[in-house]
Amino acid sequence: MSILVGFQLYEGAVEERQASDVAQSADYVQSEMDARLSGHQGSAELWAQNPSLGSHGGADQRTALVSFVNTTEFSGASVIAANGTMTNIVAGLSDRQRRNLVGSDFGDREYFQRAMAGETYVSEPVEAESGNYIITISTPIRRDGEVVGTLNGAFHLSEGAFFASAASSLGPTKALTVRSRSGEVIYESGPGSGADPVVRNATLTE
């Protein structure tokens, strides 16, 4: 009887350590991803202060937008004027694709509306044709204190090993699953879940 009780106590201690280890890992990954997203938000906010981005449709605006994409981890970017009209986009598009977008109305997009209200907004991940997930980070462009448009940066979650780097820090015995706000699985890695896995959920700030 004492041996059985001792085994049960030991087994309980192992399970407790496993649960604590998984909880710490989840919190670490959450902290790391939040920090990276916060960094991207900060980059967008900093670049939005460039006066050229408020010069809608001008050459200076396009030059500033190209520099933003070339010097940050964003894969593409656009500027939408306060009236909802896209005035510039840099995203590896053909001239025809770009012409179809510039001048179009994007006033109904949530990311534009939230940024026009003064918020730096991180969108829900959207799956592209490539199968990669993309988020849009939008921030207000101000001139003399007035919001005159939005800077919208597209970030590819699969590029730069955004999730893979976090998953690799967990070691070979842990799996990482990332879901969007709507519950869609946008990333999975690691070993199989097993018969009775220890699970810890952590929610990103964004």
Side-chain angles (χ1 to χ4, degrees):
M1 183 68 171
S2 61
I3 295 175
L4 178 60
V5 171
F7 175 78
Q8 288 176 333
L9 290 175
Y10 174 74
E11 185 181 56
V14 170
E15 290 177 352
E16 187 175 332
R17 284 200 302 271
Q18 286 178 336
S20 176
D21 184 36
V22 170
Q24 289 178 0
S25 296
D27 291 343
Y28 170 78
V29 171
Q30 180 257 335
S31 177
E32 181 182 358
M33 290 186 182
D34 263 336
R36 294 194 65 183
L37 283 175
S38 179
H40 295 318
Q41 289 175 272
S43 294
E45 291 170 349
L46 180 64
W47 274 88
Q49 298 176 29
N50 187 329
S52 296
L53 287 177
S55 302
H56 294 305
D60 289 347
Q61 185 184 64
R62 180 160 182 80
T63 298
L65 209 55
V66 169
S67 296
F68 171 68
V69 173
N70 287 343
T71 58
T72 66
E73 293 188 63
F74 288 94
S75 301
S78 67
V79 172
I80 301 175
N83 64 1
T85 302
M86 182 177 288
T87 59
N88 247 311
I89 184 168
V90 174
L93 303 174
S94 67
D95 289 341
R96 181 178 179 181
Q97 290 172 318
R98 184 174 176 276
R99 284 194 301 268
N100 288 339
L101 292 172
V102 172
S104 298
D105 183 15
F106 287 80
D108 62 344
R109 306 300 171 91
E110 184 177 10
Y111 62 82
F112 166 75
Q113 295 172 354
R114 297 281 286 266
M116 282 299 299
E119 176 185 355
T120 297
Y121 175 69
V122 180
S123 75
E124 178 90 353
V126 176
E127 187 174 10
E129 292 182 2
S130 64
N132 185 22
Y133 284 87
I134 300 171
I135 58 173
T136 300
I137 298 179
S138 301
T139 195
I141 299 171
R142 292 182 170 88
R143 178 175 285 177
D144 299 326
E146 179 184 356
V147 179
V148 298
T150 67
L151 171 62
N152 318 289
F155 181 74
H156 290 221
L157 293 174
S158 296
E159 292 183 359
F162 185 78
F163 293 133
S165 62
S168 65
S169 69
L170 298 177
T173 62
K174 298 187 184 76
L176 173 65
T177 301
V178 181
R179 291 183 174 87
S180 65
R181 283 191 294 265
S182 62
E184 183 179 5
V185 174
I186 59 177
Y187 181 82
E188 279 188 306
S189 78
S193 58
D196 189 19
V198 178
V199 178
R200 169 63 179 249
N201 294 317
T203 303
L204 298 184
T205 302
E206 296 297 343

